[in-house]
Amino acid sequence: MEQTSKPKTPKPIPEHDRVKHELTGPLVFQCLKCKVIVGDSFAWVTADRDLNSISLYAKPHNVRVGTELLWSKEGIDVGSTYMLMYCDGCNNILGKVWRTTPRKLDYLRDLYTINLDGITIYALGAYIDPNTTPSDVHTLPSARMQQVTINKLQDMVLLLHQRLSAMECNTGQQQQNLDSGSIGSSYESLNQNIHNGNRNMNQKPNYRF
């Protein structure tokens, strides 16, 4: 009697496999215990399935590297030396920084390798349903259009500045001319008064007795 085979339900992909094969957007790595951000995919270098880890080329701010150099006595990295990495928030061990490695792990040397069992991974935009579209899309101007607008404003400001400078120059010239005219008329009036006074003094008095 033939047994009908039941359809197999696909097993969920392990988290480290998802990281390795479905890295389609920015990822944020958080400490499993205290949820402090301990890295992101912008410093991503590689992921290793056998080590269940990801490696970053830069040390995050919330991660501390120990000072003690340890020696691996078993496992895939046997014979290598490394330093442990700790979360600054809760002192949880996050991973290793290998200083010496077997030849097959040379690509991990001096990288910041985080164990996936000690972190949670959040993909930016993961909560958005790809089948939905926004009802109101605001079109933002491109960088080129913004630069064109800025150039127009600069030209307008320069033109206004030139006009104001010309107006100030003309106003100053007119004021100077007015001041010069008033000073000249004052001198003429003073000279006329002096001349009239001298003429009166030269006239002889006409006395009658």
Side-chain angles (χ1 to χ4, degrees):
M1 182 177 179
E2 296 182 357
Q3 295 180 353
T4 58
S5 59
K6 295 181 180 180
K8 297 181 179 180
T9 57
K11 295 181 179 180
I13 301 175
E15 191 169 19
H16 58 275
D17 287 352
R18 291 202 304 272
V19 173
K20 185 173 182 179
H21 298 290
E22 298 181 10
L23 183 59
T24 58
L27 303 177
V28 176
F29 311 128
Q30 295 175 284
C31 175
L32 185 62
K33 289 185 177 181
C34 65
K35 305 304 180 183
V36 168
I37 295 177
V38 294
D40 56 57
S41 58
F42 287 100
W44 177 279
V45 176
T46 185
D48 192 289
R49 180 182 300 179
D50 295 330
L51 293 172
N52 190 31
S53 65
I54 57 173
S55 297
L56 310 177
Y57 68 81
K59 184 181 76 67
H61 295 294
N62 296 323
V63 171
R64 183 181 76 260
V65 179
T67 58
E68 184 180 0
L69 188 64
L70 304 175
W71 176 45
S72 178
K73 299 180 180 179
E74 58 182 2
I76 190 173
D77 63 338
V78 61
S80 61
T81 58
Y82 60 91
M83 294 178 176
L84 292 176
M85 290 194 307
Y86 301 90
C87 172
D88 267 347
C90 62
N91 211 36
N92 182 33
I93 297 177
L94 296 175
K96 301 177 180 179
V97 179
W98 275 282
R99 298 308 184 189
T100 61
T101 57
R103 181 173 297 179
K104 61 182 178 180
L105 296 179
D106 279 350
Y107 65 96
L108 296 177
R109 190 180 305 165
D110 294 328
L111 296 179
Y112 301 92
T113 301
I114 300 176
N115 193 312
L116 290 174
D117 292 333
I119 61 172
T120 58
I121 300 174
Y122 176 75
L124 298 182
Y127 71 95
I128 299 176
D129 186 357
N131 297 322
T132 60
T133 56
S135 57
D136 185 14
V137 179
H138 299 280
T139 303
L140 296 177
S142 63
R144 179 179 177 82
M145 292 302 298
Q146 289 181 347
Q147 187 62 44
V148 170
T149 304
I150 292 173
N151 291 339
K152 289 181 179 180
L153 291 174
Q154 288 178 343
D155 294 339
M156 185 178 297
V157 170
L158 289 174
L159 181 60
L160 291 175
H161 177 70
Q162 291 176 356
R163 289 183 178 180
L164 287 174
S165 299
M167 291 176 63
E168 290 177 354
C169 183
N170 293 334
T171 303
Q173 186 66 34
Q174 292 176 0
Q175 185 65 35
Q176 185 177 0
N177 293 337
L178 290 175
D179 294 341
S180 299
S182 61
I183 292 174
S185 61
S186 298
Y187 279 128
E188 291 178 359
S189 177
L190 179 62
N191 290 333
Q192 184 66 30
N193 292 334
I194 294 174
H195 177 71
N196 292 336
N198 293 334
R199 188 176 59 183
N200 294 332
M201 291 176 64
N202 292 330
Q203 291 180 358
K204 294 181 180 181
N206 187 11
Y207 300 108
R208 293 182 181 180
F209 295 98

